[in-house]
Amino acid sequence: MVNSARTEAGVALALLGALEAGAGDCVSGGQLGRRLKVSRACIWKHVQALRRQGYEIRSECRKGYRLLSAPERITPLAVQKSLVASVIGREVHCFDRLGSTQDVAFRMAQKGAPEGTVVLAEEQSGGRGRLGRSFYSPRGGLWFSVILRPPLEPQLCLPASLMAGVAVSEAIAGITALSPVLKWPNDILLNGRKAAGMLAEIVAETDAVHFLLCGIGINVNIARHAFPAELTDTATSLSAELGREVGRTGLLCAVLERLDYYYQALLRGGAEPVLAAWKRAPNFLGRQVSLVCDGKLVEGVAEDLDGQGALLVRGAEGMRRVVSGEVRLAEGAPTLRDHVGGRV
Ligand code: BTN
């Protein structure tokens, strides 16, 4: 758990725990105050804060407080209750509807929000994808941005963005029976269709990163028919693949924990652990691909990643190092849907 019982968030967590333990029965304010070692006024203040997060709590005269229901939407408290991470998720901000979590995280980072801050929205009206595209982000998905402040030179940040893909892929594989496939740099495919995407944005000077925003979008519980027509052939969701819904708070915590793990590894020992994990996961390496890089068409075999996470493509004119672009499996090559599990 990120917060100790002495912090404000610690009191809130302990209060929620005590109300949940009441299993719908009344728990008196005095009893709660004694247990949490705070005043009744403090309990009242935290009850109000829980209500603002969407917890339905009835106060009954002379009896105390009764937890009637928890919100369906994700709350900071629900995340912090189960998250085991050292940096990521230190602060969690949850919103019902935003234009883009990247924009809000950007403003928070500029104002000095600590590394590891998470900004999440139930729904985005202006979700942004890579290469200037828009990103469909309705209710039912996980749309969030994480503020990182890596002490790296800007040109060494590509592995920091690849780790988001690894974290999401491992979290999905760990929680469900699905087999995600990584498409360089940062897409996650399920049965050949895109289920998640990452957007890494850096604010830096020539030799120092001010902050890196790691934006992650996962199509969790979105019905197949709910995707707009232009996405029906290319997008999917976890629930559409599994035929059942997936708990979003649990998945979010799993992603944040994997992200925390790889971020600590990156800071301690450089890019190697992240790159090794990326290469271990099912991915496009070894396949014939095509992509547009610096306005030029590059075709060849996606042979490897270099030490900085760039894609090495061997074509007719030798090896090409690619740092950005939209990779496609080359025309005529078998599609990912022809493969079940394993490296593709
Ligand atoms: C892509 O696939 O092109 C990247 C998609 C990134 C989407 C996420 S959702 C949370 C965060 N906020 C945004 O506006 N974009 C990222």
Side-chain angles (χ1 to χ4, degrees):
M1 218 179 286
V2 174
N3 296 291
S4 87
R6 286 174 202 279
T7 62
E8 287 285 294
V11 173
L13 275 176
L15 172 60
L16 182 60
L19 290 172
E20 281 171 346
D25 285 342
C26 255
V27 191
S28 85
Q31 207 180 336
L32 288 167
R34 281 192 297 281
R35 203 182 306 171
L36 275 59
K37 299 193 174 55
V38 294
S39 65
R40 278 167 177 248
C42 179
I43 295 290
W44 170 244
K45 185 184 85 181
H46 282 286
V47 164
Q48 296 290 66
L50 283 175
R51 285 177 174 157
R52 282 196 294 276
Q53 285 197 36
Y55 291 89
E56 212 183 330
I57 300 169
R58 183 187 298 163
S59 31
E60 291 178 18
C61 198
R62 293 180 211 286
K63 281 190 176 164
Y65 301 104
R66 190 195 296 273
L67 178 64
L68 298 178
S69 69
E72 221 170 78
R73 65 173 204 246
I74 294 174
T75 67
L77 226 46
V79 175
Q80 282 163 338
K81 207 166 72 169
S82 38
L83 182 64
V84 183
S86 49
V87 170
I88 311 254
R90 220 176 236 174
E91 272 190 25
V92 179
H93 300 268
C94 297
F95 297 88
D96 190 52
R97 189 166 202 262
L98 289 179
S100 158
T101 58
Q102 289 290 98
D103 298 343
V104 173
F106 180 88
R107 289 196 288 276
M108 286 185 181
Q110 272 190 322
K111 286 187 187 151
E115 169 158 84
T117 299
V118 176
V119 179
L120 176 142
E122 291 293 320
E123 178 183 13
Q124 296 184 118
S125 55
R128 296 194 278 108
R130 290 175 62 241
L131 309 171
R133 297 179 185 139
S134 63
F135 190 80
Y136 178 62
S137 340
R139 280 171 199 279
L142 276 176
W143 326 117
F144 60 99
S145 302
V146 181
I147 300 173
L148 297 175
R149 299 183 184 275
L152 299 173
E153 290 174 20
Q155 60 273 25
L156 299 182
C157 276
L158 190 49
S161 95
L162 291 183
M163 80 184 172
V166 173
V168 173
S169 148
E170 289 188 359
I172 293 175
I175 281 201
T176 70
L178 295 167
S179 304
V181 172
L182 282 167
K183 185 178 123 181
W184 186 93
N186 266 336
D187 283 355
I188 305 265
L189 308 187
L190 291 173
N191 292 319
R193 292 192 167 96
K194 179 162 166 169
M198 322 314 140
L199 174 67
E201 295 180 310
I202 295 181
V203 175
E205 286 172 39
T206 327
D207 55 358
V209 174
H210 291 307
F211 55 84
L212 170 87
L213 300 178
C214 202
I216 298 180
I218 311 176
N219 301 334
V220 187
N221 300 322
I222 301 174
R224 208 179 275 296
H225 62 77
F227 285 100
E230 67 275 18
L231 294 180
T232 43
D233 286 345
T234 54
T236 189
S237 69
L238 273 57
S239 63
E241 296 300 321
L242 283 168
R244 65 167 172 86
E245 297 217 327
V246 173
R248 290 182 312 137
T249 305
L251 179 61
L252 172 66
C253 289
V255 173
L256 297 179
E257 282 170 20
R258 295 319 288 156
L259 204 56
D260 192 73
Y261 171 82
Y262 283 112
Y263 189 55
Q264 301 306 325
L266 183 80
L267 297 185
R268 268 197 315 271
E272 189 42 41
V274 173
L275 299 179
W278 199 98
K279 290 182 202 179
R280 257 196 325 269
N283 58 52
F284 268 38
L285 292 183
R287 304 295 304 279
Q288 185 76 27
V289 297
S290 69
L291 73 157
V292 176
C293 174
D294 294 334
K296 288 194 195 120
L297 180 68
V298 177
E299 286 177 309
V301 174
E303 212 165 87
D304 203 355
L305 302 185
D306 74 5
Q308 294 179 357
L311 184 66
L312 300 174
V313 180
R314 186 179 293 282
E317 290 161 19
M319 192 73 95
R320 214 32 221 273
R321 181 176 188 272
V322 179
V323 291
S324 77
E326 174 75 19
V327 174
R328 289 180 197 287
L329 277 179
E331 215 42 43
T335 71
L336 286 169
R337 265 181 246 173
D338 299 333
H339 297 262
V340 178
R343 177 186 269 205
V344 290

